[in-house]
Amino acid sequence: MVLRHGQVIAEGTWSPYDEEHPHILNSLSKSFTSTAIGLAIEEGKLSLDDAVISFFPEYMTEEIEKNMANLKVRHLLSMSTGHDEDTTPYLRRSNDWVREFLSIPIVHEPGTHFLYNTGATYMLSAILTKVTGMKLLDYLQPRLFEPLGMSDITTTTCPKGIHFGGAGMSVKIEDIAKFGLLYLQKGVWEGKQIIPSHWVEEATSKQISNGNDVNNDWAQGYGYQFWRCRHGAYRGDGAFGQYCIVMPEQDAVVAITAGVMDMGDILNLVWIHLLPGMTEPIEGQQADLDQKLASLTYEPPRLLTTSPNIYKWSGKQFEAQANDAGITALSFRFGEENAAFVFQDSEGEHEIQIGYGEWNESEYSIAGQKVKAAVSGIWRNRNTFEMTVRLLGTPFCDTWTCDFINGGVRINVSRNIWTVPGLSDMALVPTITGYIQ
């Protein structure tokens, strides 16, 4: 979605995705957490120079006090805590993320060393909850979401119920665009100052250096949970291509959700193709643009829709070997016009609808997590059925290769983008790994 001078000038969604379904933000969540902190500071709940340990006296030990003595709220915001590595993998190993964070050694003097550290953003959420008595999204509801007409927003939490803050939020593409427009307008929405203009200025300005490569959008400086960009722009961003790009010089906002490994590719496309058009508009191209945007789609795979052997496999019950998804039994149902994959786990029976040459949508639960997916299936050969599973609202697209062999079935699942267990910037949608027979 592209906004110029406060108006939507272009938007497009590749089917089977749609603009009404909230999408996981990954680290773009951080910019919303920063906004909440700015509002709480304006309300006098805390200040940038408050010591982090001052909010958590119940955790104080001599060792923690010494380790955290110089860490302030502003250091959490600017990713300059002084840690040598992201603290999030350590937090995930604990049931008490605050205690764990406070115990991780600080190596550099806070404020002197940039390190992208999602655990720092979690601590901002924990502090907000401590000083307001409200969780992050609850606090933002009347102050940000309601004034901007944002709805259906969800997030993940830590074991103690504190909203993650650094990742885990899901919002609609239009709400990303609204958020960017609010910042572009210096915190004003429909004539009302929603967030202080000075906070917009501070949060989106360079607060610490993160490199000196003029051609690298990750080396233009970092603000308060916002990245500086080339071309005078700034952004919130999240893993695999979730973007809220604000371009003050062009009076523009670009909102993107995606599923790519190289996030720099997307930004380069913005600078190469969208930026020039904002200064050198091409006349007479609106009809072509409208036609292109209306035709966007991920074509379902097209090959064989049946196999002479389906009578062997359709309806047959398989017991599952141990697998990460927790599936205990499964079956396939192959019809003339569509198919279904039925599986059992500790929560009961679940069914995934599969289209032939089209996308069929299903909502189901796997490994205890609710999933909405668009699925299409083809036969690669008479004994190999392949399912393409697009996990809607996430960057993930899985390919399930189901080989029917010797009275059993082996299912191998590959994902379009790789993830590293324990890292913070993941939308942790489970998948089957290994095989089931």
Side-chain angles (χ1 to χ4, degrees), residues 5-305:
H5 307 315
Q7 302 295 320
V8 177
I9 61 170
E11 60 178 311
T13 305
W14 278 255
S15 172
Y17 302 89
D18 67 68
E19 67 278 6
E20 293 303 316
H21 195 274
H23 197 282
I24 192 78
L25 295 184
N26 293 327
S27 279
L28 178 48
S29 307
K30 292 178 171 67
S31 301
F32 287 87
T33 303
S34 167
T35 302
I37 293 295
L39 291 168
I41 289 174
E42 189 70 10
E43 293 174 3
K45 303 292 187 182
L46 73 160
S47 76
L48 288 172
D49 290 315
D50 284 342
V52 171
I53 56 176
S54 68
F55 300 103
F56 306 104
E58 67 273 25
Y59 290 105
M60 271 318 98
T61 65
E62 185 177 339
E63 186 176 356
I64 286 177
E65 191 167 6
K66 182 179 179 181
N67 183 47
M68 291 277 155
N70 297 324
L71 185 64
K72 299 178 180 179
V73 170
R74 68 170 68 247
H75 302 139
L76 298 176
L77 284 162
S78 60
M79 297 296 188
S80 60
T81 60
H83 289 102
D84 246 354
E85 57 183 327
D86 184 4
T87 57
T88 318
Y90 297 94
L91 305 191
R92 290 190 184 278
R93 300 172 191 170
S94 171
N95 287 324
D96 192 331
W97 289 14
V98 171
R99 184 187 299 278
E100 189 69 24
F101 181 91
L102 297 175
S103 302
I104 299 170
I106 287 178
V107 179
H108 308 276
E109 180 66 22
T112 66
H113 176 76
F114 174 82
L115 175 78
Y116 197 67
N117 183 356
T118 299
T121 319
Y122 167 75
M123 289 300 291
L124 291 170
S125 178
I127 289 170
L128 182 81
T129 299
K130 199 71 181 289
V131 300
T132 67
M134 304 174 71
K135 296 177 183 179
L136 174 65
L137 266 57
D138 297 328
Y139 180 78
L140 286 175
Q141 182 63 30
R143 296 166 174 82
L144 179 68
F145 302 152
E146 288 181 7
L148 270 61
M150 299 169 64
S151 61
D152 301 322
I153 299 170
T154 59
T155 190
T156 55
T157 67
C158 77
K160 289 189 173 293
I162 298 169
H163 290 175
F164 190 179
M169 284 181 63
S170 290
V171 310
K172 300 170 186 173
I173 185 70
E174 182 181 13
D175 294 333
I176 298 174
K178 288 178 178 179
F179 183 67
L181 183 59
L182 175 66
Y183 268 80
L184 179 65
Q185 295 173 165
K186 303 297 184 184
V188 174
W189 191 261
E190 296 180 346
K192 183 178 179 181
Q193 194 77 45
I194 302 298
I195 50 179
S197 59
H198 66 83
W199 179 260
V200 173
E201 183 66 29
E202 290 178 49
T204 62
S205 297
K206 179 179 177 180
Q207 296 293 337
I208 190 168
S209 175
N210 56 2
N212 54 15
D213 184 350
V214 296
N215 297 312
N216 184 347
D217 283 298
W218 280 264
Q220 306 304 308
Y222 194 79
Y224 292 153
Q225 311 285 295
F226 285 89
W227 297 86
R228 294 293 307 174
C229 306
R230 290 175 288 167
H231 307 291
Y234 61 86
R235 72 187 188 279
D237 74 26
F240 312 126
Q242 323 319 313
Y243 280 116
C244 180
I245 306 167
V246 181
M247 305 163 68
E249 294 175 12
Q250 289 73 32
D251 194 24
V253 174
V254 180
I256 300 169
T257 60
V260 299
M261 282 301 298
D262 191 340
M263 293 176 61
D265 283 350
I266 291 181
L267 284 178
N268 288 336
L269 291 171
V270 171
W271 308 141
I272 292 170
H273 296 287
L274 297 186
L275 182 61
M278 295 180 184
T279 54
E280 302 172 9
I282 301 173
E283 298 297 332
Q285 299 295 310
Q286 188 64 47
D288 290 343
L289 176 62
D290 291 343
Q291 182 178 3
K292 178 66 176 178
L293 292 174
S295 68
L296 300 176
T297 184
Y298 286 109
E299 289 291 335
R302 300 187 187 280
L303 204 63
L304 301 174
T305 59

Side-chain angles (χ1 to χ4, degrees), residues 270-421:
V270 171
W271 308 141
I272 292 170
H273 296 287
L274 297 186
L275 182 61
M278 295 180 184
T279 54
E280 302 172 9
I282 301 173
E283 298 297 332
Q285 299 295 310
Q286 188 64 47
D288 290 343
L289 176 62
D290 291 343
Q291 182 178 3
K292 178 66 176 178
L293 292 174
S295 68
L296 300 176
T297 184
Y298 286 109
E299 289 291 335
R302 300 187 187 280
L303 204 63
L304 301 174
T305 59
T306 189
S307 161
N309 290 342
I310 60 172
Y311 71 93
K312 296 181 181 180
W313 314 117
S314 187
K316 182 174 180 179
Q317 295 293 316
F318 298 95
E319 291 186 6
Q321 294 179 346
N323 59 89
D324 291 350
I327 292 174
T328 57
L330 59 93
S331 65
F332 292 84
R333 202 169 56 240
F334 296 112
E336 292 184 3
E337 297 182 356
N338 52 52
F341 175 75
V342 182
F343 66 93
Q344 289 85 39
D345 60 14
S346 60
E347 296 183 353
E349 184 174 279
H350 313 272
E351 184 170 309
I352 301 175
Q353 297 296 316
I354 307 166
Y356 296 150
E358 62 181 4
W359 299 107
N360 278 10
E361 291 191 8
S362 296
E363 291 191 37
Y364 56 95
S365 176
I366 187 167
Q369 187 165 339
K370 291 182 178 179
V371 174
K372 184 176 182 180
V375 186
S376 188
I378 57 173
W379 287 92
R380 286 289 175 189
N381 56 56
R382 62 194 299 155
N383 291 317
T384 301
F385 185 67
E386 183 179 279
M387 298 161 54
T388 300
V389 182
R390 293 194 170 275
L391 299 168
L392 303 179
T394 85
F396 301 133
C397 177
D398 292 346
T399 301
W400 299 28
T401 303
C402 310
D403 292 307
F404 294 91
I405 307 168
N406 298 327
V409 59
R410 172 153 49 190
I411 302 177
N412 287 288
V413 178
S414 61
R415 182 158 276 180
N416 60 325
I417 43 184
W418 56 265
T419 61
V420 179

